[in-house]
Amino acid sequence: MGNFSELDMYLFGQATHYDIYKKLGAHPQIRRNKKGICFAVYAPHAEKVFVIGEFNEWNETKHEMERLEPEEAGIYELFIPGLGTGSLYKYLIITPDGRKLYKADPYANFAEVRPGTASRITDIEHFKWTDDVWMKKRASHGTMDHQPMSIYEVHPGSWMRHPGEDGDGGFYTYRELAKSLCSYVKKMGYTHIELMGISEYPFDGSWGYQVTGYYAPTSRYGKPEDFAWLVNYFHKNNIGVILDWVPAHFPKDAHGLAEFDGQALYEYADPRMGEHPDWGTKIFNYGNNQVKNFLIGSALMWIEHYHIDGLRVDAVASMLYLDYGKDAGQWIPNKYGENKNLEAIEFFKHINTLITGRNPGTVMIAEESTAWPMVTGPAPEGGLNFSFKWNMGWMHDFLDYMKLDPYFRKNNHNKMTFAMSYNNSEKYILVLSHDEVVHLKCSMINKMPGTGEDKFSNLKVGYAFMMGHPGKKLLFMGQEFAQLHEWSEKTELEWYLLDNPSHKSMQTFVKELLHIYKKYPAMYELDHEWNGFEWINANDADRSIFSFIRKSKDGKNCLLFVCNFTPVARDDYRVGVPVNKSYRLIFHSDDEKFQAEGTKRPLSYKAVKSECDGRDYSISYPLPGYGVAIFRFSY
């Protein structure tokens, strides 16, 4: 029978073979006391399959694979004695009508550096992990609901590059990136990084969202063990690692999954189900158990083999809706005549429950842009069981408001308060992601109204409001120091801007906010619960000022935020407070830390019996234009 047993075939056919990546693909093995490589591939429609590669000079007939019994299982296998790791290879698939297809291994753990498209034999089982402390702590959380999550979204190829080189030689390797990026992230105060474009992909311009290698860290930055080293390094420095993961679609590249064995296999056969007209990509067949197992196995490999702490699932809406991006006649309703993809719904319930159930403390994050109900709700109650959902509604309202001239903000005040009306319906992450700073959308700083320092002041108060608002946080790289140009995957970030005091001040401002976020449980403990947040004044539209409280479980070290979204100073600003106590100023935007001509403020503000904002007690504070003040107090 070989490496792939009858039990393997059964589990694969049920979509429950959770370590399928150890069976399919190319793996070192010993048979009859001989070391070699065992190849196994799923190609049920193929007439014949051959392994071709550097080791046989790409001979198309030398190494024919055996179709295992039962034949309907569609598994081909071949053990080649004496063969070691390192060689490039592909599968030559002969279709029943005589066509020859040269395919990369869908389960390969390593690939040739693009523009090459071959797979590379490797052994990923020998890395020595030393992140036990992190892994035990992660498991002890159970969920991340009450833990801090401030995520730095990073594209590895353009965060930083070696000087003087524009091509591939300029990339940081995984190990170089680990050291430089980890040092920066720790200094800034982020709790997690989220890496784009780690699963192997052929085209740089896709940023990693058109994947051909779901089981392979991209070879652009090094070997699989180098990627494992990166994850291990971050964990030893107490930083979590989240990956973008793309089960929504895949490209039509000839070496990839499209019509893998001569006809639709990984995709739906009917193009009305199996193709995205707008994206020019194929849609996975979520009704095929072997395809579901392919995706589930990929997710489990990243989480369990590479110790990844969570997956941000891209384009969830495109999976849930059969008519997503399609006109009438381009899609097929489900059996109830609706536009819901029932198979994708069940897939999400299965995989999300499985991942977080087997790996406590890990997260599954939905990039879902519609009002689909209960994305983070429990599966038994009809939810999809994601850990968190990107709050795209908040993001759009926030950016719409921030782009406005301050004079017109009073007429759009509700854009900044509306998200709290549905905050408890899901478990949210507030995001300002790469999608908001590409395709002529401008960088964050250039979305802001005004000129010069007004732009920086606007963005600072916006970031402070975001940090105080309930929900975990995500900020794309470069926006923490106000990168001027839109992001491009072709060049590194504009680090030279940090020589400019305004950009350096922005970075310091964000850094201070991130460290406050991590320090005070009030900022994250009760993100998704009604008793974790309270408006002091949500209706001060004429002055465009927002004041609110973030609460901790024990009522200690709660935080009062005041944010002024106009350039008008309020020297006699008074804000209502919940208790008759002293309020300690822990952060203010005109601090000397942030500007050369900063202002020293008293640190303590005693409440007085003076009605304001519907409360008996209040404090007075000189609030500057675009001013932010954060006060600490206890009930």
Side-chain angles (χ1 to χ4, degrees):
M1 184 70 185
N3 183 50
F4 213 88
S5 69
E6 288 185 15
L7 177 60
D8 291 326
M9 289 188 180
Y10 172 77
L11 293 174
F12 188 45
Q14 299 297 309
T16 56
H17 199 313
Y18 297 142
D19 57 356
I20 189 66
Y21 70 95
K22 295 181 181 179
K23 295 290 184 172
L24 290 173
H27 302 285
Q29 199 175 96
I30 299 175
R31 288 195 189 178
R32 296 177 183 174
N33 295 320
K34 290 185 178 181
K35 292 182 179 180
I37 301 295
C38 182
F39 297 87
V41 66
Y42 173 60
H45 306 122
E47 183 72 23
K48 292 182 178 181
V49 182
F50 297 85
V51 183
I52 59 175
E54 291 179 323
F55 51 86
N56 64 12
E57 297 181 327
W58 303 96
N59 187 305
E60 296 190 353
T61 58
K62 186 172 182 179
H63 287 115
E64 182 174 358
M65 303 182 77
E66 175 190 1
R67 186 160 185 151
L68 302 181
E69 298 289 343
E71 288 195 1
E72 59 269 20
I75 304 296
Y76 286 82
E77 187 180 273
L78 178 67
F79 177 75
I80 302 180
L83 182 57
T85 59
S87 291
L88 296 175
Y89 72 99
K90 280 189 177 183
Y91 295 120
L92 169 57
I93 294 174
I94 309 297
T95 66
D97 59 359
R99 286 176 293 142
K100 291 182 177 181
L101 307 176
Y102 301 87
K103 294 288 187 176
D105 187 346
Y107 288 84
N109 297 128
F110 194 25
E112 183 179 13
V113 179
R114 51 89 183 105
T117 58
S119 303
R120 191 180 293 277
I121 302 169
T122 192
D123 183 1
I124 63 171
E125 297 298 333
H126 297 300
F127 182 79
K128 298 290 190 294
W129 291 91
T130 57
D131 62 348
D132 289 357
V133 172
W134 171 271
M135 296 297 281
K136 288 175 183 175
K137 185 183 78 168
R138 186 182 83 180
S140 72
H141 292 325
T143 72
M144 290 297 292
D145 292 3
H146 308 298
Q147 302 300 318
M149 283 187 74
S150 52
I151 304 167
Y152 188 52
E153 187 189 26
V154 175
H155 177 265
S158 58
W159 180 72
M160 195 174 283
R161 290 193 177 189
H162 290 299
E165 299 186 55
D166 297 325
D168 295 350
F171 287 150
Y172 274 32
T173 66
Y174 286 121
R175 294 180 188 242
E176 291 169 334
L177 183 73
K179 292 179 180 178
S180 298
L181 180 57
C182 188
S183 173
Y184 182 76
V185 166
K186 281 185 72 175
K187 180 181 74 173
M188 289 297 295
Y190 292 98
T191 66
H192 292 71
I193 58 166
E194 180 179 314
L195 297 176
M196 300 165 55
I198 294 300
S199 297
E200 190 60 84
Y201 60 104
F203 175 51
D204 287 3
S206 80
W207 311 330
Y209 292 111
Q210 295 197 10
V211 177
T212 51
Y214 280 81
Y215 288 79
T218 179
S219 56
R220 286 168 175 79
Y221 318 120
K223 299 177 181 178
E225 56 265 35
D226 298 325
F227 176 70
W229 194 92
L230 175 147
V231 177
N232 191 68
Y233 189 87
F234 271 95
H235 284 175
K236 290 178 71 175
N237 282 276
N238 209 34
I239 303 293
V241 182
I242 298 166
L243 296 189
D244 279 4
W245 188 62
V246 192
H249 63 131
F250 57 91
K252 296 179 181 179
D253 295 63
H255 70 283
L257 299 177
E259 297 186 354
F260 182 77
D261 56 5
Q263 55 184 284
L265 179 62
Y266 287 91
E267 66 269 45
Y268 287 105
D270 190 320
R272 292 174 296 174
M273 289 283 289
E275 298 208 15
H276 274 303
D278 289 347
W279 299 343
T281 54
K282 297 282 191 178
I283 300 172
F284 281 105
N285 181 353
Y286 308 109
N288 180 302
N289 279 348
Q290 287 84 354
V291 173
K292 284 192 289 186
N293 205 149
F294 170 80
L295 292 170
I296 290 167
S298 167
L300 282 169
M301 183 204 67
W302 293 116
I303 297 284
E304 295 182 354
H305 178 80
Y306 284 108
H307 292 198
I308 294 300
D309 301 295
L311 299 175
R312 198 279 288 188
V313 183
D314 184 62
V316 167
S318 75
M319 299 171 64
L320 294 174
Y321 295 97
L322 294 165
D323 59 347
Y324 186 92
K326 298 178 181 179
D327 297 326
Q330 290 184 326
W331 63 282
I332 304 173
N334 65 25
K335 61 184 179 181
Y336 303 114
E338 301 171 335
N339 66 343
K340 298 176 182 176
N341 189 330
L342 303 177
E343 294 166 345
I345 293 169
E346 289 308 310
F347 168 75
F348 280 135
K349 291 180 179 180
H350 181 177
I351 193 170
N352 291 333
T353 303
L354 176 72
I355 294 283
T356 55
R358 280 170 59 116
N359 303 278
T362 58
V363 293
M364 296 292 285
I365 301 167
E367 190 248 330
E368 204 284 316
S369 53
T370 73
W372 187 281
M374 296 183 69
V375 171
T376 57
E381 298 174 18
L384 300 181
N385 212 38
F386 278 97
S387 309
F388 298 104
K389 171 181 171 173
W390 275 19
N391 195 337
M392 311 292 274
W394 172 88
M395 180 268 296
H396 286 300
D397 287 346
F398 174 81
L399 292 179
D400 285 348
Y401 181 88
M402 293 304 300
K403 291 173 187 175
L404 292 170
D405 184 292
Y407 179 80
F408 296 107
R409 285 176 176 164
K410 61 188 176 185
N411 299 319
N412 292 269
H413 197 72
N414 67 309
K415 286 189 179 295
M416 296 291 265
T417 61
F418 180 63
M420 282 311 302
S421 69
Y422 61 81
N423 183 68
N424 297 343
S425 64
E426 301 278 8
K427 298 173 184 176
Y428 285 114
I429 298 178
L430 306 186
V431 295
L432 295 173
S433 76
H434 68 276
D435 277 330
E436 308 319 312
V437 291
V438 292
H439 300 322
L440 303 180
K441 293 179 184 176
C442 295
S443 63
M444 285 300 301
I445 190 67
N446 281 322
K447 294 181 195 294
M448 299 300 109
T451 58
E453 284 303 312
D454 271 1
K455 284 185 175 291
F456 288 89
S457 298
N458 266 288
L459 189 53
K460 283 177 178 177
V461 66
Y463 282 159
F465 181 88
M466 174 188 182
M467 200 61 66
H469 193 288
K472 311 307 182 189
K473 320 295 180 205
L474 179 144
L475 193 64
F476 182 57
M477 64 181 198
Q479 304 318 315
E480 76 278 10
F481 62 81
Q483 167 140 325
L484 289 177
H485 293 99
E486 283 191 333
W487 169 64
S488 168
E489 83 281 356
K490 297 176 182 178
T491 59
E492 74 168 14
L493 298 182
E494 297 168 338
W495 295 107
Y496 62 86
L497 292 174
L498 289 173
D499 292 333
N500 178 296
S502 296
H503 293 274
K504 186 64 179 176
S505 169
M506 179 67 74
Q507 185 192 48
T508 304
F509 188 89
V510 172
K511 174 185 172 183
E512 290 293 314
L513 286 172
L514 287 167
H515 281 278
I516 287 173
Y517 173 80
K518 240 184 355 180
K519 180 177 179 179
Y520 292 99
M523 295 282 272
Y524 56 79
E525 268 189 335
L526 301 172
D527 269 329
H528 320 293
E529 300 174 38
W530 64 270
N531 56 338
F533 175 91
E534 184 180 349
W535 286 111
I536 294 293
N537 193 335
N539 302 309
D540 194 355
D542 284 343
R543 294 189 297 181
S544 297
I545 297 175
F546 301 85
S547 52
F548 56 87
I549 293 170
R550 294 301 307 275
K551 301 178 185 178
S552 60
K553 285 181 180 180
D554 60 9
K556 297 178 181 177
N557 292 319
C558 299
L559 300 177
L560 165 64
F561 279 73
V562 181
C563 300
N564 179 7
F565 281 88
T566 74
V568 181
R570 307 290 177 180
D571 295 332
D572 58 347
Y573 183 76
R574 184 166 291 278
V575 59
V577 292
V579 288
N580 181 20
K581 291 190 175 182
S582 288
Y583 291 74
R584 186 168 184 82
L585 183 67
I586 64 167
F587 179 97
H588 64 102
S589 53
D590 53 342
D591 195 310
E592 294 166 315
K593 296 176 185 175
F594 310 133
Q595 46 193 296
E597 298 179 0
T599 304
K600 284 191 175 180
R601 302 278 187 195
L603 296 181
S604 184
Y605 295 79
K606 181 72 178 73
V608 297
K609 191 170 178 59
S610 176
E611 192 278 334
C612 184
D613 297 323
R615 297 168 191 269
D616 293 336
Y617 291 90
S618 60
I619 60 173
S620 178
Y621 177 80
L623 186 65
Y626 300 120
V628 176
I630 307 175
F631 302 88
R632 172 171 57 83
F633 71 98
S634 296
Y635 282 90

